[in-house]
Amino acid sequence: MSNDSTKVCIIEDNKPIQKLLTTILEKSGFDTIAFGDGATALDWLKSNTPLIVLADFVLPDLDGGAIVEFIRTLPNGNSIPVIAVTGLAQENDREKIMKMGFDSYISKPIQTATFANQIKDLIEQKKA
């Protein structure tokens, strides 16, 4: 298994949002890899351990629950912060998503000015 512990894995099917997340994070010094569907991302995750995973909850092929469930079965899966980045913003959505095993939740539209710092904070929280 390759340790890509400097990479942020982005799983987002909306290309403009994927580009926005990638741009913000790369400008803040992160190395990113982005996927437009869950299956391709899971194939990559089988042999790579990223710094953090940012996953849209609603994807064309898998939902966020299936993604986080898969990640948690990997050898280092419990040490990887998995963050839902989603438009599902109702309080009961947040509760449901957190119960599925996500470490945190960021609702869309993201706050571009603070997004990279949110990600840094979430990485540090998981290490603590």
Side-chain angles (χ1 to χ4, degrees):
M1 178 169 275
S2 169
N3 186 355
D4 279 305
S5 61
T6 61
K7 275 202 193 304
V8 174
C9 175
I10 299 167
I11 309 169
E12 171 61 65
D13 63 314
N14 182 302
K15 290 294 182 190
I17 293 173
Q18 185 187 97
K19 178 73 173 154
L20 176 65
L21 300 178
T22 299
T23 301
I24 290 169
L25 293 171
E26 288 181 353
K27 283 186 177 183
S28 295
F30 288 103
D31 186 16
T32 66
I33 185 163
F35 301 96
D37 65 88
T40 307
L42 296 186
D43 280 344
W44 183 83
L45 286 162
K46 287 176 188 172
S47 56
N48 296 277
T49 303
L51 179 63
I52 191 169
V53 174
L54 307 177
D56 187 3
F57 193 79
V58 180
L59 294 164
D61 59 342
L62 297 170
D63 71 16
I67 291 169
V68 76
E69 185 178 311
F70 175 83
I71 291 169
R72 297 301 183 222
T73 67
L74 297 171
N76 297 329
N78 287 325
S79 66
I80 301 168
V82 184
I83 314 305
V85 181
T86 181
L88 300 174
Q90 301 297 319
E91 188 57 38
N92 61 339
D93 292 329
R94 179 184 177 86
E95 192 175 305
K96 179 177 84 172
I97 288 168
M98 294 300 290
K99 282 183 180 174
M100 289 181 173
F102 283 90
D103 293 292
S104 191
Y105 170 103
I106 298 172
S107 62
K108 295 177 192 170
I110 64 162
Q111 301 301 312
T112 57
T114 58
F115 183 73
N117 284 333
Q118 276 184 289
I119 300 308
K120 288 175 187 172
D121 290 346
L122 291 166
I123 292 165
E124 289 305 313
Q125 287 172 19
K126 187 71 174 188
K127 286 181 183 176

